[in-house]
Amino acid sequence: MSATPSAPVSAPCTASPRSACDPATTLDERFRAAIRAVTGSEADPQIRASANAKFGDFQVNAAMALAKERGGNPRALAEEILKRADLAGIASACEVAGPGFINVTLETEFLTARLEELSRSQSFGIPPALDRHAVVIDLCGVNVAKQMHVGHLRATIIGDSLARVFERLGRKVWRENHLGDWGLPIAMTLARLIRERVNFATLTLDDLNTNYRAAQVETSTADLDAATRFHCGPHRLAEFEIQYEPARGAMENAKKTLVRLQSGDAEIVRDWERLIEVTMEQVYDAARILHVKVGPENNRGESFFRDRLAGVIEAFAKSGFSKSDQGAIVVPFADRERPLLIQKSDGGFLYATTDLAALRFRTAELDGSLVVYVVDARQRDHFRDVFDAARLVGWNTTKDGAESTLVHLGFGAVLGSDKKPLKTRSGENFTLKDLLDEACERGTAEVVRRAEDPNAPTHGLSPKALAEIGAAVGIAAVKYADLSGDLTKDYVFDLDRMIAFEGDTGPYLQYAHARIASILGKSNENDAVLASAPLLLRDPAERALALHLLRYAPMVLDVGRTLETNRVGAYLAQLATLFNGFYQACPVLKADDAAARLSRLRLCALTRAVLADGLSLYGIVAPNRM
Ligand code: ARG
């Protein structure tokens, strides 16, 4: 079954632009033409960066697959392709190796020219986006009247980083915070706060939390329901009935409050808005500390969609994709037993109904050709159902009918060192505030300790300045650990390891950045002089660094394609390593001649700029002194 969307569906925008700075772009072009000349047909030349400089800078891998397809000897085919490839001014040495690889070593002038282009590019060689539709990122997703927990921290950090990547790629990005700000649990809390005459003006998040939980307990008739279900006898049942009368009353009251809220009763709406305000203060505080761009302008919670829910039911009914099941409305799927419930028999709507309304809003009104839901992996089935239901009615299309890609980026849990969900030292559940405070404290302790060394660039800085760097270090540690692994996996929250200045950590990269900034500072070289100095790539270490710098744009393009934020971290770690190799092999401030000194300073400046830009994709600040 497939729906007929109102607008014609154009092909999804799969064409992705390539970086002109990337030597692989030129090689791709030249070898594609050569393959066409040899085989008469179009094929991907499969250009890859060489893993080992011994085999040149790039490898062309297509010959093996092509020979298999057409029959024939892959090495001979590789020779043939190589003969036809126009590589004048591009490659200095090429050879066929192994079963049919073509190893390519770039002409130094060609490499230098690309690097020159990179250093003059405003965007590090990232080409303008081809897809003019928006990217929608569902992030954060906190629930009103509840403490933000580490899961929401991940949803916020990962979502913000992806948003930054797409902004870097020149896309229009919507950060959508799908707050849990509507429905019975909130009415329950609200009803209780009013009954207990809590002062809304001085309400705190702790009050909200306590009352949220208390409201759940006081309305709970779970034991009674169980007793009824398990036929535990009239006598016991009568006991339960009496015991649970207050719960019934509280629930009645909550339902009345919900009706008042739904009908727009001014007094209740004002109290409800206050609940949201108190909840969101913590989020904005955390956002500021974390350097994530999430503010009031991103709030489009469940309540926003309340008037669109009936329309969802109607749309499914009209298209014939829903059916009534004992008074409830469900969407059945051909390939699974369980249908998606979109309206309860009492007329109530569900989490999924709201998500369907939100999804339609994101594709049709925000014009998203890519909608990424950064939400806990445990909601996988929910999103699978919602996406499939949306596809049935053709809601996965933008304003102009282009197909929208819907992705649930389900991330894993944050675990303590005991591999169990994270707890504080006193055994409490870790709140976000605890975690951020601890990270900043530990970061500051580390920075203060290092500043004691009289040779440290931070020696003698004021406690306030040190605390500022310390906070940046602590937050970098948390964010890097969160973003640099496989997002779908659980990860162990180990501040000791995360905060170290050595190893695969955020602070290590910040430190590399600060060291380069210090070299540049010491050089006292004027920017204009630097900019006009020729780049000289003489040493293999300079060459390796240059090649990697040129890989920045393709790496960012890859993250846009794969949503794998860990590629940024891996790239930057490699950049820091190559820079260290270069710095050991090639004296910069004490270079033999003035030309080498200027060229190397330019390499330093480029590396620093790329490091800072890469860290900014993680929303990590890069201090100049550490
Ligand atoms: N409030 C939800 C929760 O805490 C997360 C919202 C995720 N976004 C969405 N569109 N469903 O589980």
Side-chain angles (χ1 to χ4, degrees), residues 20-71:
C21 296
D22 180 6
T25 302
T26 314
L27 292 177
D28 187 284
E29 218 173 80
R30 299 303 165 94
F31 278 98
R32 209 171 269 272
I35 292 173
R36 212 182 301 120
V38 173
T39 67
S41 55
E42 198 66 32
D44 176 1
Q46 301 189 36
I47 312 289
R48 307 280 178 268
S50 291
N52 189 333
K54 248 195 344 222
F55 304 125
D57 303 321
F58 287 90
Q59 257 172 233
V60 186
N61 293 349
M64 277 86 73
L66 284 175
K68 202 174 209 175
E69 242 173 61
R70 301 158 40 91

Side-chain angles (χ1 to χ4, degrees), residues 138-144 146 149 152 155 176-181 302 351 354-355 358-359 362 373-376 379 382-383:
D138 185 301
L139 79 184
C140 188
V142 293
N143 298 313
V144 166
K146 279 169 88 176
H149 58 68
H152 294 126
E176 295 287 297
N177 192 349
H178 193 84
L179 310 176
D181 63 356
E302 293 175 1
Y351 183 53
T354 306
D355 253 325
L359 192 156
R362 290 164 179 189
Y373 291 77
V374 185
V375 185
D376 197 319
Q379 296 193 27
H382 165 75
F383 284 111

Side-chain angles (χ1 to χ4, degrees), residues 544-613:
L545 181 60
L547 275 165
H548 195 65
L549 286 167
L550 293 171
R551 249 173 251 144
Y552 182 65
M555 179 279 293
V556 182
L557 286 163
D558 276 346
V559 178
R561 257 189 305 268
T562 61
L563 308 180
E564 289 169 1
T565 57
N566 56 328
R567 290 173 186 245
V568 178
Y571 172 89
L572 295 176
Q574 172 77 358
L575 180 60
T577 303
L578 288 169
F579 180 82
N580 290 342
F582 153 76
Y583 195 61
Q584 262 162 30
C586 308
V588 176
L589 296 173
K590 297 198 176 98
D592 291 340
D593 58 278
R597 179 172 179 276
L598 288 177
S599 165
R600 287 171 188 172
L601 280 170
R602 278 192 76 187
L603 281 174
C604 290
L606 251 176
T607 306
R608 193 208 60 76
V610 169
L611 260 173
D613 197 69

